[in-house]
Amino acid sequence: MPIEFTHVPGKSRPAHASFFYDFVETATKLSLIEDAGFRKIVVDDPAGLLTNMDLAAQALGRTSSLEVVLSHWAGVIEPTVAARQLAALDAKSGGRLSLRMLSEPLSDDDAEMRPVGHTVVWQRTDEYMVLLKRLWSNDRPFDHEGAFYSIKAGYVPRKGPHGADVTIRMGGQSGTALKVAGRHADVFELTPGSLDEIRQLIDRVRSAAAEHGRAGKLRFALPVRFGSHGNTVACQKAVEIAGPPAQVALALLPYAALGIQEFMIVGVDRPREIAFAARETIALLRNSLARREADVPQPGAFASRVTGEARAPS
């Protein structure tokens, strides 16, 4: 199975040491990330949604093949405005944008936009996603009156290259979250845990997607952290695996056997770390998977060979 690697910048202390603070330096790192074999980079700066969109535009402008995963959430921008801006960004990048829908703002900057109640949060996200997709696909204006949004003559004349098929990423564990993800997500970001816990979550997500005829259309991504990064804030939960590259690659194999096709590598931000990850861990994992698939072509057949399980930090 093809495995993709996504770079997830860590949150550093102090704030001015964050990945996107100095964009001249960031441009150099983006080039290294692109050359290292990473397929995507996540933009989820704590400065807020509008800053994320600006950073995504800069990252797309400084790279040629790297896809940008833009963290986004409902409630800050009206759907018509968001759909127009996102379509323009996707078009300018040649279709390299994907949308990572969070249920909550990343910081308290947008806290006033947060509705009360978990179920209400996801209901609003659901309506927001329905409207985005409709705005990206409709060939004429439409009206909408819903629980959270009211639109008159909503229309986006300039669609992105993928229309309504922009890749949508979601996550969560509650029944409500999985119901919304099953309807909208193309990629589901798994909550870290043991192999059994992740297997059970994958089954639940597929069951939720099956209600919409989408069980076979989902890909699964897992956040992973290589060892401990003392200078970064652990705001991104991840399976933490320590050891030499060969040991790390071996530890990731059983997760791949579950059907995970993307590893989100968290906090590998220094140029030397980026180069080392590409030269060692990523290359070893890809080679190991190629050898295992040559020996055992059936998906999931080698999961039982690995007895140890890497767990996320509690």
Side-chain angles (χ1 to χ4, degrees):
M1 72 184 74
I3 293 290
E4 296 180 357
F5 295 88
T6 296
H7 185 274
V8 183
K11 302 298 186 298
S12 301
R13 294 189 178 98
H16 64 259
S18 66
F19 186 87
F20 291 103
Y21 179 77
D22 182 346
F23 212 86
V24 174
E25 180 180 344
T26 298
T28 300
K29 292 180 181 179
L30 287 173
S31 180
L32 285 172
I33 289 167
E34 195 167 27
D35 293 341
F38 287 94
R39 179 76 177 271
K40 309 177 183 73
I41 184 169
V42 172
V43 175
D44 65 347
D45 195 87
L49 184 147
L50 297 178
T51 298
N52 279 346
M53 296 182 75
D54 290 340
L55 292 173
Q58 293 184 61
L60 288 165
R62 296 296 185 99
T63 56
S64 59
S65 62
L66 194 66
E67 298 176 25
V68 167
V69 178
L70 173 61
S71 296
H72 193 77
W73 51 92
V76 179
I77 307 176
E78 287 299 310
T80 304
V81 176
R84 185 181 302 115
Q85 293 178 344
L86 293 168
L89 190 57
D90 194 35
K92 187 176 181 179
S93 71
R96 290 186 287 128
L97 181 73
S98 60
L99 204 59
R100 181 180 184 235
M101 290 301 301
L102 305 178
S103 61
E104 298 280 356
L106 290 165
S107 70
D108 289 336
D109 293 347
D110 298 312
E112 69 275 8
M113 301 297 182
R114 184 187 293 127
V116 177
H118 176 82
T119 300
V120 176
V121 168
W122 282 105
Q123 288 173 342
R124 184 179 67 174
T125 299
D126 182 44
E127 185 177 341
Y128 187 78
M129 289 309 308
V130 168
L131 289 171
L132 285 186
K133 291 180 178 181
R134 192 174 177 187
L135 287 160
W136 286 333
S137 59
N138 273 34
D139 57 4
R140 64 188 65 183
F142 67 90
D143 296 338
H144 169 83
E145 195 67 43
F148 302 95
Y149 298 103
S150 177
I151 293 178
K152 300 296 181 183
Y155 181 59
V156 175
R158 297 179 182 177
K159 318 295 186 187
H162 300 301
D165 294 327
V166 174
T167 298
I168 304 299
R169 304 168 67 100
M170 289 183 169
Q173 290 181 284
S174 71
T176 303
L178 298 193
K179 181 178 179 180
V180 177
R183 183 180 185 184
H184 297 293
D186 302 295
V187 177
F188 188 88
E189 297 183 6
L190 294 158
T191 302
S194 68
L195 287 173
D196 284 340
E197 291 167 341
I198 292 174
R199 184 186 294 110
Q200 291 171 17
L201 181 55
I202 288 174
D203 289 343
R204 292 177 61 209
V205 175
R206 285 178 172 152
S207 294
E211 296 180 9
H212 302 279
R214 307 182 66 250
K217 297 181 180 180
L218 275 170
R219 290 169 57 89
F220 292 93
L222 180 69
V224 176
R225 181 178 288 107
F226 296 160
S228 177
H229 295 267
N231 66 316
T232 59
V233 183
C235 57
Q236 170 74 51
K237 295 180 180 179
V239 169
E240 188 164 314
I241 302 175
Q247 182 177 330
V248 172
L250 182 63
L252 291 177
L253 287 175
Y255 292 102
L258 295 179
I260 294 168
Q261 294 174 286
E262 177 185 338
F263 290 111
M264 303 172 67
I265 310 303
V266 179
V268 179
D269 293 344
R270 298 188 181 95
R272 183 174 60 183
E273 294 172 341
I274 295 168
F276 184 80
R279 186 177 64 250
E280 302 292 342
T281 305
I282 291 177
L284 281 169
L285 180 58
R286 282 179 170 153
N287 291 339
S288 297
L289 283 170
R291 288 195 298 269
R292 289 292 182 96
E293 288 178 355
D295 294 338
V296 186
Q298 297 84 4
F302 59 80
S304 60
R305 299 182 184 182
V306 181
T307 58
E309 293 179 352
R311 294 186 63 91
S314 58

